Amino acid sequence: MRLVLPLRLWLAFSHAFVLALPLIAVLGTGALAWDLRRQTANGIQDQGSIVAELVRDRLARDPEAGLAGATRDLSPILARLRDQTLAGFRVLDDHGVVLASSGDSDTTDLSAEPEVVRALAGEVGVVARPREPARVYRLSGPGRAASIRLFVAVPIEVDGQVIGAVVVNRTPREEVQALFQMAPRLWIGALLAVLATVGLGLLAGHLFSRSLVRMAGTSKRIADGSIAGTALMDRPSRSHVRETRDLAVAVSHMAERLQVRLGYIREFAGNVSHEFKTPLSTLRGTIELLSDDPDIPPEQRERFLANAAAEVDRMGRLVDGLLALARAEERVDHAPVDLDALVRRVADRHRGVVVQGEAGSVVGNAEQ
């Protein structure tokens, strides 16, 4: 079933859809998800750099203790960081063995992990691993519902030599959760944008549809036979919408042509009525003369009968003309018409008519 709605509603819906396109593009292309991952990776990299700086500071104060001694009591500090940031922390030696952690994993050897390999080579390693999304979480809470978890490994360098690494992992925010958490700042602007968009759509629909409504009313009046309603087309013909203006002008021209056609039909009907009266009067008079005088001379009787037959033929041609008018919408074959012969044929029916000059020929229908 085809949906039929007023123009103003179509415009309001289209404006609202255009307003929603940026959000659809951001969510549909994954641009927001990618940016959230990038933000999370940058954030936990900064946190890993801070922990690495803490380890270097401890080593600077007690170089003899080595990395193992500098990280001996670091696990409680990492656990508190985990509680505050919801990120997991692990400090590794130069062989990828865990020396201290925030307590979120039992793994003690991470030397085979790609991000650790890169960190021990002196570069920052970043890896995204799939995770089981949380089934129950609050959009406004710190819990994350994304299907991946990011792992960033930051090298610990002392005097240009890599002595270990800090591995930090965190789940990025999911798109809907990020939008919900941004909502307190955005909802007023979004509400104003929606109201402005829908308002503009309704206003544009009103401006565009009022001329169409006038044209629909005028067309209905024309269909009902009232050509006088074309005066209402003045305002639509001055519309700021070019298509509406062109349509109004076309409807006005159509109404004018219909008015001319109706006038022609009325004039033709009057002429036909007058043309029918003449042969009918002649036939009536001939019948009366023949009925009242049975002894009329044969020559005069023949002349009266010939006139009556001519008038009957004339009435037949008039009837053919009416049938042709009734078929005016059908295709009519046109051919050259000899106007001189046509005028002479008409003049022969009227005594005393003198024809002078030449009219030539035109393309048309001789019977009409």
Side-chain angles (χ1 to χ4, degrees):
M1 183 177 179
R2 181 177 297 178
L3 181 62
V4 179
L5 296 174
L7 176 61
R8 63 188 64 183
L9 288 183
W10 281 118
L11 288 175
F13 289 154
S14 64
H15 281 63
F17 177 73
V18 171
L19 177 65
L21 278 180
L23 180 61
I24 296 175
V26 168
L27 295 178
T29 60
L32 180 59
W34 179 86
D35 188 66
L36 291 172
R37 295 179 184 181
R38 181 183 59 82
Q39 292 179 18
T40 301
N42 292 338
I44 60 178
Q45 180 180 341
D46 293 340
Q47 295 170 5
S49 299
I50 294 174
V51 173
E53 184 63 29
L54 175 62
V55 173
R56 283 194 294 268
D57 182 66
R58 288 190 169 197
L59 281 173
R61 286 184 292 176
D62 187 5
E64 300 298 330
L67 184 60
T71 59
R72 186 176 298 112
D73 59 347
L74 192 60
S75 293
I77 298 175
L78 297 180
R80 289 196 296 271
L81 285 176
R82 180 200 59 197
D83 295 338
Q84 295 174 0
T85 63
L86 298 182
F89 296 87
R90 280 172 286 185
V91 179
L92 317 178
D93 62 12
D94 57 350
H95 297 293
V97 177
V98 177
L99 299 177
S101 73
S102 58
D104 57 335
S105 175
D106 296 331
T107 303
T108 58
D109 187 358
L110 301 178
S111 59
E113 302 298 338
E115 70 274 17
V116 175
V117 173
R118 293 195 62 180
L120 295 179
E123 301 178 0
V124 176
V126 181
V127 172
R129 293 189 173 90
R131 65 182 287 268
E132 186 69 26
R135 296 184 179 181
V136 180
Y137 69 98
R138 294 173 56 191
L139 291 175
S140 59
R144 305 289 174 87
S147 59
I148 65 167
R149 191 171 183 88
L150 294 175
F151 291 78
V152 176
V154 179
I156 303 175
E157 297 183 14
V158 175
D159 297 330
Q161 182 180 0
V162 178
I163 64 171
V166 178
V167 178
V168 187
N169 62 86
R170 177 76 164 95
T171 302
R173 287 189 298 173
E174 190 256 347
E175 296 97 316
V176 176
Q177 186 179 29
L179 291 175
F180 181 83
Q181 293 177 357
M182 289 188 294
R185 301 179 183 179
L186 294 178
W187 74 269
I188 296 179
L191 179 61
L192 292 177
V194 170
L195 292 177
T197 301
V198 175
L200 286 175
L202 293 176
L203 177 61
H206 171 70
L207 294 177
F208 295 161
S209 63
R210 62 181 180 180
S211 296
L212 296 177
V213 170
R214 286 179 177 270
M215 282 190 288
T218 300
S219 301
K220 187 176 184 302
R221 292 185 182 90
I222 294 174
D224 293 338
S226 176
I227 306 299
T230 55
L232 297 176
M233 296 300 295
D234 179 62
R235 179 174 295 180
S237 64
R238 292 183 285 109
S239 173
H240 294 288
V241 182
R242 185 177 64 183
E243 289 79 2
T244 302
R245 181 181 58 196
D246 294 343
L247 179 59
V249 172
V251 173
S252 297
H253 290 170
M254 179 190 68
E256 292 173 0
R257 294 187 64 180
L258 286 175
Q259 192 169 10
V260 172
R261 178 67 62 87
L262 289 177
Y264 166 75
I265 292 175
R266 286 194 294 267
E267 181 181 0
F268 181 80
N271 292 336
V272 168
S273 176
H274 176 74
E275 291 294 331
F276 268 110
K277 288 181 180 179
T278 301
L280 286 174
S281 299
T282 301
L283 289 174
R284 186 180 294 109
T286 300
I287 293 173
E288 290 177 356
L289 287 174
L290 295 177
S291 300
D292 293 342
D293 189 2
D295 299 327
I296 191 171
E299 298 82 2
Q300 191 174 6
R301 179 187 296 274
E302 291 296 330
R303 183 163 57 84
F304 286 158
L305 290 175
N307 289 338
E311 296 300 332
V312 170
D313 292 338
R314 182 181 177 187
M315 292 181 65
R317 289 192 295 271
L318 291 174
V319 171
D320 292 339
L322 290 176
L323 293 176
L325 178 64
R327 296 192 297 268
E329 298 300 326
E330 299 180 2
R331 185 177 64 86
V332 178
D333 294 328
H334 295 114
V337 178
D338 187 351
L339 294 181
D340 296 313
L342 183 63
V343 170
R344 284 193 297 271
R345 188 167 67 246
V346 175
D348 289 343
R349 297 201 303 264
H350 303 278
R351 294 181 179 182
V353 176
V354 178
V355 180
Q356 296 179 346
E358 295 182 357
S361 63
V362 295
V363 176
N365 190 300
E367 296 301 324
Q368 297 181 9

XYZ file of all heavy atoms in Angstrom, residues 220-281:
484
model
N -10.652 21.612 -9.450
C -11.939 20.984 -9.147
C -13.097 21.834 -9.663
O -14.074 21.313 -10.200
C -12.059 20.777 -7.640
C -13.293 19.986 -7.218
C -13.298 19.744 -5.723
C -14.484 18.870 -5.334
N -15.772 19.453 -5.735
N -12.964 23.173 -9.508
C -14.015 24.047 -10.035
C -14.101 23.945 -11.553
O -15.192 23.947 -12.121
C -13.740 25.493 -9.614
C -13.894 25.740 -8.122
C -13.730 27.227 -7.806
N -13.831 27.482 -6.380
C -12.806 27.475 -5.550
N -11.582 27.232 -6.023
N -12.964 27.708 -4.256
N -12.935 23.858 -12.204
C -12.942 23.719 -13.659
C -13.590 22.402 -14.056
O -14.373 22.334 -15.003
C -11.510 23.822 -14.198
C -10.951 25.230 -13.966
C -11.465 23.488 -15.674
C -9.497 25.385 -14.338
N -13.266 21.331 -13.297
C -13.876 20.036 -13.581
C -15.383 20.064 -13.378
O -16.123 19.367 -14.074
C -13.250 18.956 -12.692
N -15.850 20.900 -12.441
C -17.290 21.030 -12.201
C -17.957 21.970 -13.194
O -19.178 22.157 -13.127
C -17.537 21.532 -10.778
C -17.116 20.506 -9.724
O -17.041 19.311 -10.088
O -16.853 20.896 -8.572
N -17.166 22.590 -14.078
C -17.743 23.445 -15.113
C -17.693 24.920 -14.824
O -18.233 25.719 -15.596
N -17.040 25.331 -13.737
C -16.980 26.751 -13.383
C -15.621 27.294 -13.803
O -14.627 27.136 -13.108
C -17.199 26.949 -11.881
O -17.038 28.310 -11.531
N -15.555 27.967 -14.965
C -14.306 28.524 -15.460
C -13.965 29.809 -14.728
O -12.823 30.257 -14.711
C -14.413 28.784 -16.980
C -14.833 27.507 -17.695
C -13.095 29.260 -17.542
C -13.862 26.373 -17.527
N -14.932 30.418 -14.056
C -14.675 31.684 -13.367
C -13.674 31.524 -12.236
O -13.075 32.498 -11.783
C -15.982 32.260 -12.817
N -13.465 30.281 -11.769
C -12.537 30.066 -10.669
C -11.084 30.276 -11.032
O -10.214 30.240 -10.169
N -10.803 30.535 -12.309
C -9.401 30.736 -12.708
C -8.814 32.005 -12.113
O -7.597 32.174 -12.116
C -9.300 30.804 -14.237
O -10.192 31.825 -14.719
C -9.680 29.472 -14.865
N -9.639 32.899 -11.610
C -9.107 34.111 -10.976
C -8.291 33.769 -9.737
O -7.419 34.543 -9.329
C -10.249 35.051 -10.606
N -8.545 32.606 -9.125
C -7.795 32.200 -7.939
C -6.376 31.735 -8.271
O -5.588 31.464 -7.365
C -8.546 31.066 -7.221
C -9.935 31.424 -6.674
C -10.584 30.185 -6.076
C -9.835 32.525 -5.640
N -6.048 31.664 -9.562
C -4.723 31.211 -9.954
C -3.701 32.337 -9.935
O -2.526 32.105 -10.227
C -4.781 30.601 -11.365
C -5.636 29.355 -11.457
S -5.049 28.039 -10.383
C -3.485 27.715 -11.142
N -4.126 33.555 -9.601
C -3.195 34.686 -9.646
C -2.072 34.513 -8.635
O -0.897 34.702 -8.957
C -3.964 35.984 -9.389
C -3.034 37.189 -9.413
O -2.432 37.438 -10.469
O -2.906 37.866 -8.377
N -2.407 34.139 -7.394
C -1.369 34.005 -6.376
C -0.431 32.830 -6.655
O 0.787 32.988 -6.576
C -2.000 33.860 -4.988
C -0.973 33.702 -3.872
C -1.622 33.709 -2.514
N -2.231 35.000 -2.213
C -2.870 35.275 -1.082
N -2.976 34.331 -0.155
N -3.413 36.458 -0.882
N -0.941 31.617 -6.999
C 0.001 30.546 -7.329
C 0.920 30.890 -8.502
O 2.063 30.452 -8.541
C -0.918 29.363 -7.664
C -2.172 29.640 -6.908
C -2.324 31.130 -6.935
N 0.424 31.695 -9.466
C 1.265 32.034 -10.611
C 2.394 32.968 -10.234
O 3.324 33.169 -11.011
C 0.408 32.673 -11.713
O -0.142 33.908 -11.257
N 2.351 33.557 -9.016
C 3.431 34.406 -8.525
C 4.225 33.711 -7.414
O 4.902 34.368 -6.630
C 2.856 35.734 -8.018
C 2.274 36.597 -9.134
C 1.781 37.949 -8.639
N 0.517 37.838 -7.919
C 0.390 38.003 -6.613
N 1.446 38.256 -5.884
N -0.784 37.887 -6.031
N 4.121 32.387 -7.347
C 4.826 31.623 -6.317
C 6.338 31.734 -6.505
O 6.844 31.893 -7.620
C 4.399 30.149 -6.367
O 5.173 29.377 -5.487
N 7.071 31.628 -5.371
C 8.535 31.654 -5.430
C 9.113 30.314 -5.869
O 10.311 30.228 -6.129
C 9.102 32.032 -4.058
C 8.757 33.434 -3.642
N 9.325 34.542 -4.226
C 7.889 33.901 -2.711
C 8.834 35.646 -3.665
N 7.953 35.270 -2.745
N 8.289 29.285 -5.921
C 8.725 27.970 -6.384
C 8.483 27.887 -7.888
O 7.335 28.014 -8.338
C 7.974 26.844 -5.649
C 8.479 25.477 -6.103
C 8.153 26.995 -4.146
N 9.546 27.693 -8.651
C 9.419 27.765 -10.105
C 8.464 26.699 -10.641
O 7.639 26.982 -11.521
C 10.796 27.584 -10.751
C 10.774 27.757 -12.278
C 12.166 27.641 -12.855
N 12.685 26.291 -12.636
C 13.908 25.913 -12.979
N 14.736 26.788 -13.528
N 14.321 24.666 -12.756
N 8.570 25.461 -10.131
C 7.700 24.406 -10.625
C 6.235 24.714 -10.342
O 5.362 24.472 -11.178
C 8.086 23.060 -9.999
C 9.407 22.487 -10.484
C 10.612 23.145 -9.826
O 10.395 24.021 -8.963
O 11.754 22.792 -10.172
N 5.953 25.249 -9.140
C 4.579 25.608 -8.802
C 4.084 26.727 -9.699
O 2.937 26.711 -10.178
C 4.497 26.037 -7.326
O 4.961 24.972 -6.495
C 3.073 26.380 -6.944
N 4.939 27.713 -9.945
C 4.551 28.822 -10.819
C 4.280 28.331 -12.236
O 3.269 28.706 -12.851
C 5.670 29.858 -10.824
C 5.385 31.089 -11.689
C 6.565 32.034 -11.628
N 7.769 31.348 -12.085
C 8.993 31.796 -11.875
N 9.189 32.905 -11.173
N 10.030 31.136 -12.336
N 5.131 27.461 -12.748
C 4.920 26.935 -14.096
C 3.633 26.129 -14.173
O 2.892 26.213 -15.171
C 6.113 26.065 -14.508
C 7.397 26.873 -14.641
O 7.296 28.119 -14.734
O 8.492 26.267 -14.650
N 3.370 25.338 -13.135
C 2.137 24.554 -13.125
C 0.912 25.453 -13.086
O -0.085 25.204 -13.778
C 2.141 23.604 -11.928
C 0.900 22.718 -11.751
C 0.699 21.837 -12.978
C 1.033 21.871 -10.493
N 0.969 26.525 -12.292
C -0.159 27.454 -12.212
C -0.404 28.125 -13.556
O -1.554 28.281 -13.993
C 0.105 28.501 -11.135
N 0.664 28.533 -14.227
C 0.515 29.163 -15.544
C -0.082 28.163 -16.533
O -0.961 28.513 -17.333
C 1.874 29.687 -16.034
C 1.785 30.157 -17.477
C 2.350 30.838 -15.154
N 0.377 26.911 -16.479
C -0.157 25.895 -17.393
C -1.641 25.652 -17.141
O -2.433 25.532 -18.090
C 0.630 24.592 -17.240
N -2.037 25.577 -15.856
C -3.456 25.388 -15.538
C -4.279 26.588 -15.995
O -5.400 26.435 -16.519
C -3.627 25.142 -14.025
C -5.105 25.122 -13.648
C -2.979 23.832 -13.613
N -3.754 27.804 -15.843
C -4.469 29.003 -16.300
C -4.672 28.972 -17.810
O -5.763 29.262 -18.315
C -3.701 30.258 -15.895
O -3.614 30.378 -14.497
N -3.603 28.606 -18.544
C -3.738 28.511 -20.002
C -4.747 27.439 -20.392
O -5.530 27.627 -21.332
C -2.376 28.214 -20.617
C -1.431 29.368 -20.535
N -0.093 29.271 -20.846
C -1.628 30.666 -20.177
C 0.490 30.445 -20.685
N -0.419 31.303 -20.264
N -4.724 26.321 -19.671
C -5.684 25.269 -19.963
C -7.114 25.756 -19.734
O -8.012 25.503 -20.553
C -5.396 24.055 -19.086
C -6.359 22.895 -19.291
S -6.152 21.596 -18.039
C -6.731 22.471 -16.573
N -7.316 26.484 -18.643
C -8.658 26.998 -18.358
C -9.095 28.003 -19.416
O -10.270 28.021 -19.835
C -8.673 27.648 -16.970
N -8.164 28.856 -19.863
C -8.512 29.820 -20.907
C -8.899 29.118 -22.206
O -9.865 29.502 -22.875
C -7.344 30.766 -21.140
C -7.061 31.701 -19.960
C -5.792 32.511 -20.159
O -5.151 32.329 -21.221
O -5.458 33.318 -19.268
N -8.148 28.075 -22.555
C -8.485 27.339 -23.778
C -9.818 26.622 -23.638
O -10.604 26.549 -24.599
C -7.377 26.341 -24.083
C -6.047 27.007 -24.434
C -5.025 25.999 -24.885
N -5.426 25.349 -26.114
C -4.700 24.409 -26.733
N -3.552 24.025 -26.196
N -5.129 23.861 -27.859
N -10.091 26.105 -22.439
C -11.399 25.484 -22.218
C -12.517 26.505 -22.350
O -13.588 26.213 -22.902
C -11.438 24.835 -20.839
C -10.666 23.525 -20.673
C -10.693 23.075 -19.223
C -11.257 22.438 -21.558
N -12.262 27.719 -21.842
C -13.280 28.763 -21.940
C -13.541 29.127 -23.405
O -14.688 29.295 -23.822
C -12.823 29.996 -21.156
C -13.918 31.027 -20.934
C -13.494 32.083 -19.929
O -12.346 32.144 -19.548
N -14.435 32.898 -19.505
N -12.431 29.225 -24.182
C -12.609 29.509 -25.613
C -13.354 28.369 -26.290
O -14.256 28.592 -27.115
C -11.228 29.735 -26.269
C -11.361 29.828 -27.784
C -10.590 30.999 -25.731
N -12.996 27.135 -25.931
C -13.683 25.994 -26.531
C -15.170 25.974 -26.176
O -16.023 25.721 -27.049
C -13.005 24.704 -26.056
C -13.652 23.420 -26.575
C -13.483 23.276 -28.064
N -12.086 23.182 -28.423
C -11.415 22.020 -28.441
N -12.016 20.892 -28.124
N -10.151 22.007 -28.786
N -15.480 26.268 -24.907
C -16.892 26.301 -24.516
C -17.638 27.406 -25.245
O -18.796 27.239 -25.653
C -17.000 26.482 -22.996
C -16.575 25.281 -22.136
C -16.657 25.643 -20.664
C -17.440 24.070 -22.428
N -16.975 28.564 -25.408
C -17.621 29.646 -26.165
C -17.854 29.247 -27.605
O -18.918 29.545 -28.188
N -16.877 28.565 -28.196
C -17.053 28.101 -29.569
C -18.204 27.104 -29.661
O -19.011 27.142 -30.600
C -15.755 27.465 -30.049
C -15.904 26.667 -31.316
C -16.043 27.292 -32.551
C -15.916 25.265 -31.279
C -16.202 26.559 -33.719
C -16.067 24.522 -32.434
C -16.203 25.172 -33.653
O -16.354 24.436 -34.797
N -18.281 26.208 -28.679
C -19.360 25.213 -28.702
C -20.718 25.895 -28.569
O -21.690 25.534 -29.265
C -19.147 24.173 -27.581
C -17.907 23.323 -27.889
C -20.364 23.284 -27.415
C -17.547 22.350 -26.798
N -20.810 26.896 -27.673
C -22.091 27.616 -27.542
C -22.443 28.332 -28.835
O -23.597 28.307 -29.273
C -21.986 28.602 -26.376
C -22.031 27.963 -25.006
C -22.262 29.013 -23.931
N -21.121 29.920 -23.844
C -20.098 29.751 -23.007
N -20.073 28.691 -22.202
N -19.096 30.604 -22.972
N -21.443 28.976 -29.445
C -21.703 29.675 -30.710
C -22.086 28.689 -31.804
O -23.021 28.932 -32.592
C -20.462 30.462 -31.113
C -20.637 31.251 -32.406
C -19.383 32.000 -32.777
O -18.386 31.910 -32.043
O -19.387 32.678 -33.839
N -21.380 27.558 -31.838
C -21.688 26.552 -32.840
C -23.093 25.991 -32.642
O -23.839 25.774 -33.614
C -20.649 25.441 -32.768
C -20.861 24.348 -33.775
C -20.448 24.516 -35.085
C -21.476 23.161 -33.408
C -20.646 23.517 -36.015
C -21.669 22.159 -34.336
C -21.258 22.325 -35.649
N -23.453 25.760 -31.375
C -24.796 25.236 -31.110
C -25.869 26.221 -31.574
O -26.898 25.828 -32.130
C -24.944 24.942 -29.618
N -25.612 27.548 -31.312
C -26.576 28.549 -31.789
C -26.665 28.579 -33.295
O -27.776 28.651 -33.869
N -25.504 28.489 -33.975
C -25.520 28.499 -35.435
C -26.214 27.266 -35.985
O -26.975 27.343 -36.964
C -24.083 28.576 -35.966
C -23.436 29.905 -35.653
O -24.128 30.912 -35.453
N -22.105 29.926 -35.580
N -25.932 26.105 -35.374
C -26.570 24.871 -35.833
C -28.080 24.943 -35.649
O -28.862 24.525 -36.518
C -25.980 23.661 -35.091
C -26.818 22.414 -35.330
C -24.552 23.423 -35.537
N -28.489 25.508 -34.507
C -29.930 25.651 -34.270
C -30.569 26.524 -35.354
O -31.642 26.197 -35.887
C -30.160 26.265 -32.888
O -31.525 26.504 -32.668
N -29.856 27.621 -35.685
C -30.382 28.506 -36.733
C -30.386 27.802 -38.088
O -31.344 27.918 -38.871
C -29.535 29.779 -36.794
C -29.946 30.703 -37.893
N -31.102 31.459 -37.830
C -29.350 30.980 -39.095
C -31.206 32.171 -38.941
N -30.150 31.902 -39.722
N -29.309 27.047 -38.370
C -29.223 26.342 -39.641
C -30.290 25.262 -39.760
O -30.799 24.999 -40.846
C -27.828 25.725 -39.788
C -26.707 26.738 -39.969
C -26.834 27.481 -41.284
O -27.383 26.905 -42.241
O -26.401 28.640 -41.355
N -30.673 24.634 -38.675
C -31.713 23.614 -38.718
C -33.092 24.226 -38.953
O -33.959 23.610 -39.582
C -31.718 22.807 -37.421
C -30.866 21.570 -37.474
C -29.691 21.474 -36.760
C -31.253 20.499 -38.263
C -28.903 20.348 -36.822
C -30.472 19.359 -38.318
C -29.287 19.282 -37.598
N -33.313 25.422 -38.451
C -34.629 26.051 -38.609
C -34.955 26.324 -40.073
O -36.092 26.154 -40.506
C -34.663 27.365 -37.819
C -34.703 27.166 -36.314
C -34.754 28.515 -35.599
C -34.792 28.315 -34.079
N -34.810 29.617 -33.370
N -33.937 26.738 -40.861
C -34.185 27.069 -42.268
C -34.641 25.858 -43.071
O -35.695 25.911 -43.722
C -32.919 27.695 -42.879
O -32.580 28.865 -42.146
C -33.154 28.051 -44.340
N -33.920 24.742 -43.072
C -34.428 23.591 -43.841
C -35.723 23.030 -43.287
O -36.564 22.538 -44.036
C -33.288 22.576 -43.745
C -32.476 22.986 -42.571
C -32.601 24.464 -42.488
N -35.907 23.086 -41.985
C -37.162 22.598 -41.419
C -38.335 23.443 -41.895
O -39.420 22.920 -42.224
C -37.077 22.598 -39.892
C -36.222 21.488 -39.263
C -36.111 21.687 -37.761
C -36.803 20.114 -39.563
N -38.108 24.752 -41.927
C -39.184 25.639 -42.426
C -39.482 25.347 -43.888
O -40.654 25.323 -44.322
C -38.772 27.106 -42.254
O -38.570 27.406 -40.885
